[in-house]
Amino acid sequence: MPNLSPEIWTAVSLTVQLAALTTAILLVVGTPVAWWLARSQARWKEAVAAVVALPLVLPPTVLGFYLLVALGPDGPGGALAGLWGARTLAFTFEGLVIGSVIYSLPFVVQPIRNAFDAVGERPLEVAATLRASPMRAFWTVAVPLARPGFLTGAVLGFAHTMGEFGVVLMIGGNIPGETKVLSVAIYDFVETLRWREANLLAGGMVVFAFVVILAMMLIEKRMRRAGE
Amino acid sequence: MALLPAVANAGSTHVAVAANFTHAAIEIAGRFEEKTGHVAVLSFGSTGQLFAQVSQGAPFEVFLAADAERPALAINEGYGVEGTTFTYAVGRLALWSADAGLVIGPETLLVGEFDKIAIANPDTAPYGTAAVEVMRGLGAYEALSAKIVRGNNIAQTYQFVETGNAEIGFVSLSQIVGHAAGSRWVVPAELHAPIRQDAVLLKVGENSAAARAFLEFLTSPDAVAVIQHYGYGVEGDR
């Protein structure tokens, strides 16, 4: 291992924590949303699906701008922060988690929804005729069958948060150990002409991204085989 | 076109501008176009970011940095044309709050009755370095260091304070000259090393008449008036 400055490790571990926490929250929040999108007959459900997918299309600066205002003293984030005596959620790890959850939402919800779609009516009807309650059918039939979707969603949500840049740059305030994530660290290294460190981190991200995409493809392959 | 002699030889030049000089540069570019017919296309960023881009072959012909180091480095490393650097402005720092009652003076820093203070990233932005110097000089840095948030450049630092996310921040005087809102303390120039902002002609623009004309124009009374209006000093030595 080349000797790396502690600031690199701080940035890496902070980013991993952010990505892990964001993914965990998204699995909890995203699963019911994905389930509803897959099962609901509501005519306006595609409108909800479109809202969920918005971060795919919106530039990070749009999210960053609105988040900066929303997290600030005059927005809901400021009101929330007031509960523990702070003025704003910007420049905090919690603020980044909120931003990341929104930013990575479609990357988790979409694959899980697709997996629930693929499960279809039939297994759940069978479960119902065997007198499984809807809750039980969900946990013992739908979720296990949709497992590849959960895996894909978790991997994509984690990876996408790891690579988050624009939103963090706009709401983070570049505080080491609190909001200075990997991508921002790379940006700073490039700006200060410390290209050796920039190279190490950027190269690491390339390897990481390759592993993620490869893993994704393998999961998908398995999913297709399971579907046959 | 041939009927308008001033425009006949008009070209355009791409200028990289340090973020703190944004407003002044836009106004100067407007006057420059009126006077010469040349168009200055402006790109804004932090001095560090712009320099990194220059070193990688960005098509900038003129570089208006926020410090004297980067233009000198540009020449040392062969991106700049020797003998073309000069100080086009001397920056002034201001402590500013969007809250009308907050900033009074240096004692505000010593009392420290705020959650967050925004400064530009001292590693990349000279205004950030100067801000740290001021806080150190007043003996307030240690106590404040946990409250510091760093903007990627001075424009973002301003935006952190403007949105109220940070109650207070060190910005460039040029950013708050235009409006009276909030409260401010114009930091006395002797509290930090002078923020000498140098310009340099880059190799890309060595043969560009428009680029040379722009640098020339920067020292004209027209441009100097704009520069001073935004709170900068000028050295006038070339």
Side-chain angles (χ1 to χ4, degrees):
Chain A
M1 257 298 74
N3 61 335
L4 297 179
S5 52
E7 53 183 309
I8 288 191
W9 286 120
T10 310
V12 169
S13 88
L14 178 74
T15 313
V16 170
Q17 284 173 45
L18 176 67
L21 187 58
T22 301
T23 308
I25 292 174
L26 277 174
L27 285 175
V28 173
V29 176
T31 302
V33 175
W35 178 250
W36 183 81
L37 287 175
R39 311 288 304 169
S40 169
Q41 306 294 329
R43 239 185 301 162
W44 43 279
K45 80 168 181 182
E46 290 312 329
V48 175
V51 170
V52 170
L54 273 180
L56 285 175
V57 178
L58 288 176
T61 42
V62 171
L63 296 179
F65 168 52
Y66 284 140
L67 278 167
L68 187 67
V69 175
L71 296 179
D74 301 325
L80 188 62
L83 296 180
W84 54 91
R87 291 178 64 255
T88 173
L89 280 178
F91 320 128
T92 61
F93 183 74
E94 293 77 12
L96 291 199
V97 171
I98 293 173
S100 305
V101 164
I102 295 170
Y103 176 71
S104 294
L105 184 67
F107 290 82
V108 176
V109 170
Q110 211 75 49
I112 299 179
R113 179 198 171 169
N114 292 344
F116 281 147
D117 275 338
V119 169
E121 295 285 335
R122 190 81 188 126
L124 295 164
E125 284 167 8
V126 172
T129 53
L130 293 174
R131 296 201 189 157
S133 67
M135 206 53 172
R136 195 179 148 97
F138 172 77
W139 284 110
T140 58
V141 178
V143 169
L145 283 174
R147 201 184 301 147
F150 282 94
L151 253 175
T152 309
V155 171
L156 275 184
F158 187 88
H160 194 240
T161 309
M162 285 287 290
E164 187 177 354
F165 173 66
V167 173
V168 178
L169 192 74
M170 288 182 75
I171 66 172
N174 206 339
I175 304 169
E178 175 87 22
T179 59
K180 184 171 182 174
V181 299
L182 218 153
S183 56
V184 175
I186 294 176
Y187 187 76
D188 271 7
F189 284 137
V190 173
E191 281 207 5
T192 47
L193 306 179
R194 291 165 67 184
W195 288 11
R196 192 186 77 93
E197 283 100 332
N199 245 324
L200 277 169
L201 276 183
M205 278 305 281
V206 171
V207 173
F208 171 77
F210 174 78
V211 170
V212 166
I213 293 170
L214 190 65
M216 281 289 317
M217 287 174 159
L218 294 176
I219 293 170
E220 245 163 44
K221 198 168 153 193
R222 210 179 94 186
M223 197 170 168
R224 243 179 285 124
R225 219 183 302 137
E228 277 160 12
Chain B
M1 281 297 194
L3 297 174
L4 300 164
V7 180
N9 297 319
S12 81
T13 182
H14 205 151
V15 184
V17 182
N20 76 84
F21 203 63
T22 301
H23 300 304
I26 291 171
E27 212 171 311
I28 289 171
R31 294 185 182 204
F32 174 64
E33 191 176 343
E34 269 171 35
K35 278 272 152 68
T36 64
H38 295 305
V39 176
V41 181
L42 308 175
S43 297
F44 306 102
S46 76
T47 297
Q49 176 197 339
L50 294 170
F51 182 81
Q53 291 172 358
V54 164
S55 75
Q56 294 307 298
F60 303 134
E61 299 179 340
V62 174
F63 182 21
L64 303 188
D67 63 8
E69 278 161 47
R70 249 61 71 111
L73 195 61
I75 286 180
N76 282 343
E77 301 198 349
Y79 312 123
V81 179
E82 222 153 312
T84 60
T85 51
F86 66 96
T87 304
Y88 64 92
V90 181
R92 289 297 300 273
L93 199 61
L95 186 64
W96 179 64
S97 170
D99 177 347
L102 194 57
V103 177
I104 314 145
E107 58 274 18
T108 316
L109 293 170
L110 296 168
V111 177
E113 275 178 352
F114 44 80
D115 276 346
K116 300 285 179 203
I117 176 166
I119 66 172
N121 186 346
D123 296 332
T124 53
Y127 283 86
T129 317
V132 171
E133 203 182 330
V134 169
M135 288 188 281
R136 277 195 204 285
L138 294 169
Y141 185 71
E142 297 303 320
L144 293 178
S145 60
K147 297 181 174 181
I148 292 175
V149 295
R150 299 188 293 170
N152 174 53
N153 57 43
I154 200 71
Q156 199 189 17
T157 309
Y158 172 84
Q159 164 209 318
F160 283 162
V161 182
E162 166 75 39
T163 56
N165 279 297
E167 297 105 302
I168 196 170
F170 279 104
V171 298
S172 154
L173 178 57
S174 62
Q175 293 173 300
I176 54 172
V177 155
H179 59 91
S183 49
R184 65 197 66 194
W185 171 52
V186 180
V187 179
E190 62 271 14
L191 288 187
H192 58 82
I195 306 172
R196 276 183 49 209
Q197 304 194 182
D198 280 10
V200 63
L201 178 67
L202 298 169
K203 282 276 166 68
V204 183
E206 199 166 1
N207 300 314
S208 157
R212 286 187 185 271
F214 185 80
L215 283 171
E216 186 83 26
F217 188 76
L218 263 184
T219 59
S220 72
D222 245 356
V224 167
V226 174
I227 292 170
Q228 283 172 336
H229 168 75
Y230 280 98
Y232 297 96
V234 285
E235 284 196 339
D237 54 345
R238 180 140 194 197

